Each structure stands twice: as C-alpha cells, then as structure tokens.
Amino acid sequence: MFTFDMSNKVKVNMNTILFIIGSTRLKSFNRQVAKYVEGLLKGKANVKYFDFTELPFINQDKEEPVQEVVSRIREEIMNADGLWVFSPEYNYSYPGYIKNLFDWLSRPNDPTIQNGPTAIAGKKITITGAGGTFATKGMREKLTELLGFIKADVMKEPMTGIHVTPEAWGSNILTLSQEDKEHLQKQADAFLQFI
C-alpha cells in the first residue's frame, strides 16, 4: 500500500505485516503483546491481524479440490511482505493451532503438482512469545526449526521472549517491563530491515 507523504509530496511504499496470534484465548497475553507492537509499527508498516479460525484440520482428503478458506489463507500469506508470530508455549513447544496453519501452508498451492510452489516458501517471519517460566524459549526454538524445514525465511535474531508474571496470570492483564519494550523495539526495527 502507498501512503502520501505531505512533507516531501511523494508516495511512500509501506510493507504489509500479518500478525499471527497462536492463541484463541479471548484475553490472550500474546494478543496484548501484538497490540503493543502494532503501535511500534504505526506509520512504518501496514499491520493486519490474520484470521485463520475457520481453517479445518489438515487432511489429505480435503486437499483437492482446494477449499475456498484454504485459497483465501494462502493468498493473504502470499500478499504479505512479512509475518510476525506471537505465540504461547504449550509443553515446551508451539500450539497445535498454529502447527495446523503451517502444515496447510507447506502443502503445494496446486495439489496436483507434487513439490509445487507453496505459500510459505521464502516468506519473511519473526517470532515473539509471552508465556511461563522459560519465556517461550522452547516454542521459539521449535517453531524456528519447523519454519526452516518448510522453507520460510526466519529472522533468528533478535526474537523476544516475555515472562508472564503471577500477577498477570491472575488479572489477565500483561504489563510489559522496560526491558521487554526495548527488546520489542529492537525486534520491530530489525524486522522492518529484514523484509
């Protein structure tokens, strides 16, 4: 998308970044982090929250013909300049919810062409996670491995892991520390350069 810069009277091309939230929880801490990052990117990139709640579980019986929801999701991914994943950690790994998304994206866009082009190959991605004791270390490591395997282009550094305090678990309100905010700013700046 182009915006008009009044000071220079020129059109400025802004990248589109899709935010992928790895939790369906209404008061998700990771959605709260995403909202903060959206503010960091204001005026620098177009942010869209990616809705894939209608995506069915991956099943070869449902791959052909390609379902409308699958086509829409692939098209949105391909049209984005970058993806920013905000995810909790489930049992030292990523949730099945986003695994299902990336499984679909790893399949050929045209199921009749074995090893054909996919929507995720070469896509620029960065990862942030808010969670328990290990600040989503396991999720970030394992998701990086998965995304590399399906040929996405992951920005491995910097990433941000946020430790959710007991107070936040009780209130469902995440308060970012100054250190968290600084890490997220560095990640946002680096990702804009990366894409």
Side-chain angles (χ1 to χ4, degrees):
M1 177 180 177
F2 287 95
T3 57
F4 198 70
D5 183 344
M6 295 300 289
S7 61
N8 295 321
K9 296 185 179 179
V10 294
K11 288 184 178 178
V12 179
N13 188 17
M14 288 181 36
N15 291 314
T16 295
I17 300 175
L18 285 186
F19 280 9
I20 296 174
I21 313 297
S23 169
T24 58
R25 195 167 74 91
L26 188 62
K27 296 181 179 179
S28 163
F29 295 126
N30 285 280
R31 186 172 294 278
Q32 292 176 52
V33 176
K35 284 305 231 181
Y36 178 80
V37 172
E38 181 182 359
L40 297 179
L41 295 173
K42 189 174 182 180
K44 300 175 184 177
N46 296 309
V47 169
K48 293 183 180 179
Y49 287 80
F50 189 49
D51 181 5
F52 56 103
T53 52
E54 295 180 3
L55 191 64
F57 286 117
I58 187 92
N59 182 335
Q60 278 189 308
D61 294 339
K62 295 181 179 180
E63 285 192 73
E64 190 180 351
V66 178
Q67 297 177 59
E68 184 179 342
V69 63
V70 174
S71 291
R72 175 183 62 78
I73 278 169
R74 287 175 175 161
E75 185 175 349
E76 284 188 60
I77 292 289
M78 289 187 290
N79 287 337
D81 298 295
L83 311 178
W84 194 322
V85 179
F86 299 85
S87 178
E89 178 176 294
Y90 292 175
N91 297 316
Y92 209 65
S93 188
Y94 39 75
Y97 178 57
I98 56 172
K99 174 67 160 60
N100 185 57
L101 169 66
F102 290 122
D103 284 343
W104 273 110
L105 295 175
S106 73
R107 304 294 292 158
N109 295 333
D110 182 342
T112 65
I113 303 175
Q114 189 175 11
N115 299 319
T118 69
I120 198 69
K123 190 58 61 178
K124 306 285 188 181
I125 303 180
T126 192
I127 303 168
T128 293
T133 306
F134 299 107
T136 69
K137 179 177 182 287
M139 178 280 292
R140 287 179 282 121
E141 289 176 352
K142 290 180 172 66
L143 186 55
T144 298
E145 181 181 34
L146 167 68
L147 292 170
F149 181 76
I150 61 176
K151 299 181 174 58
D153 188 4
V154 183
M155 185 180 81
K156 295 179 181 175
E157 291 294 335
M159 289 186 186
T160 305
I162 296 165
H163 176 238
V164 178
T165 64
E167 293 77 20
W169 288 112
S171 67
N172 277 319
I173 298 171
L174 181 65
T175 302
L176 295 171
S177 68
Q178 187 58 38
E179 185 178 11
D180 292 333
K181 292 177 180 179
E182 289 171 3
H183 282 305
L184 289 168
Q185 183 68 67
K186 287 178 184 176
Q187 187 174 4
D189 291 344
F191 194 48
L192 288 170
Q193 291 294 318
F194 188 65
I195 60 177

